[in-house]
Amino acid sequence: HNNNQFAYVIGGFIRAAVCQHCCRLAAIHKMADLKTWRLDFETLIPDRKLQIDPPGYDFSVAKDPVGMLSSSKPRDRNTMARKQQALFAKATAPLKQVGMMCFMAWMFGNSIQIFSIFMTFNLISAPISAIMSSGEVFKRDEEWKQLDVLTPRLLYCLVHGGQLIFGLYKLSAMRLLPSASSDFISTMPVPPLLEHAYPAL
């Protein structure tokens, strides 16, 4: 019985040693595979095949700058198209605000009160200041001189011009705009007398 226990213990030690040896062999084999992915900076020499390019550097593009310029033309066209769309989007951006202002002014009615007067004054003053500062909003880009800045600027002025016209209509509806002949009666000449009346004796 003692001999069987001793043989069992010895067999356990042998199996453990064999397993440990197999694990070491597997680790050594794995490390040998990883050596192919390891970079030793001390072995670098000034050779193109062994040099590592920085991120974003393309040797083929640097070797042929003319080809780089020809390939960048489609990207330049796409960029210019996006910039042109951004200008038109900026030109039509105040459209919702102008519509909301006109709707609110219409809801106030034509009665003369402090809120309607302030709203009408804002309807007239805001588009005038926006049209006068449209040159600063749509500045010509020196890097993209091909962009059409005039058409978006005209569209921008047209949107604010609609608000200005509605503000003038609102003033006329409130009888605050001198549009009738009776508003200038003091400057009209007195018509000549066509008949004379005398008292009876």
Side-chain angles (χ1 to χ4, degrees):
H1 184 69
N2 293 331
N3 292 333
N4 292 334
Q5 290 181 353
F6 180 74
Y8 181 75
V9 171
I10 293 298
F13 279 116
I14 292 173
R15 286 192 296 271
V18 170
C19 291
Q20 187 177 5
H21 183 67
C22 292
C23 291
R24 287 179 179 178
L25 290 177
I28 291 172
H29 183 69
K30 187 175 182 180
M31 291 298 294
D33 292 338
L34 292 177
K35 285 182 180 180
T36 58
W37 299 95
R38 187 178 63 182
L39 178 63
D40 191 2
F41 291 96
E42 296 179 357
T43 60
L44 290 178
I45 57 176
D47 188 6
R48 183 67 213 167
K49 295 181 179 179
L50 297 179
Q51 287 181 358
I52 298 178
D53 296 329
Y57 178 79
D58 192 355
F59 178 72
S60 61
V61 173
K63 187 177 179 181
D64 187 10
V66 178
M68 177 190 65
L69 292 176
S70 62
S71 62
S72 63
K73 288 182 180 179
R75 288 180 293 180
D76 292 342
R77 294 194 191 97
N78 294 333
T79 305
M80 187 172 66
R82 287 196 297 269
K83 287 182 176 292
Q84 192 68 48
Q85 290 178 358
L87 288 176
F88 278 102
K90 186 187 295 186
T92 57
L95 191 59
K96 294 181 179 179
Q97 182 180 359
V98 169
M100 182 60 66
M101 290 288 295
C102 294
F103 177 74
M104 290 176 63
W106 176 75
M107 289 293 293
F108 272 110
N110 297 328
S111 60
I112 299 178
Q113 51 183 343
I114 187 67
F115 295 107
S116 60
I117 292 175
F118 282 157
M119 178 65 69
T120 307
F121 177 75
N122 192 17
L123 280 175
I124 296 176
S125 62
I128 292 176
S129 61
I131 291 173
M132 293 180 64
S133 63
S134 61
E136 299 178 359
V137 177
F138 297 92
K139 292 182 179 180
R140 184 172 295 277
D141 195 351
E142 296 297 333
E143 298 180 358
W144 300 90
K145 295 182 179 180
Q146 300 86 357
L147 288 175
D148 184 14
V149 185
L150 182 60
T151 305
R153 183 179 177 182
L154 291 176
L155 182 60
Y156 181 80
C157 295
L158 182 63
V159 171
H160 287 283
Q163 180 178 345
L164 179 60
I165 292 173
F166 186 82
L168 294 176
Y169 167 75
K170 185 72 175 177
L171 276 180
S172 178
M174 295 172 66
R175 305 300 180 187
L176 297 177
L177 189 66
S179 57
S181 60
S182 58
D183 297 324
F184 304 95
I185 192 171
S186 61
T187 61
M188 297 175 63
V190 178
L193 297 176
L194 300 178
E195 295 180 358
H196 296 275
Y198 297 97
L201 295 178

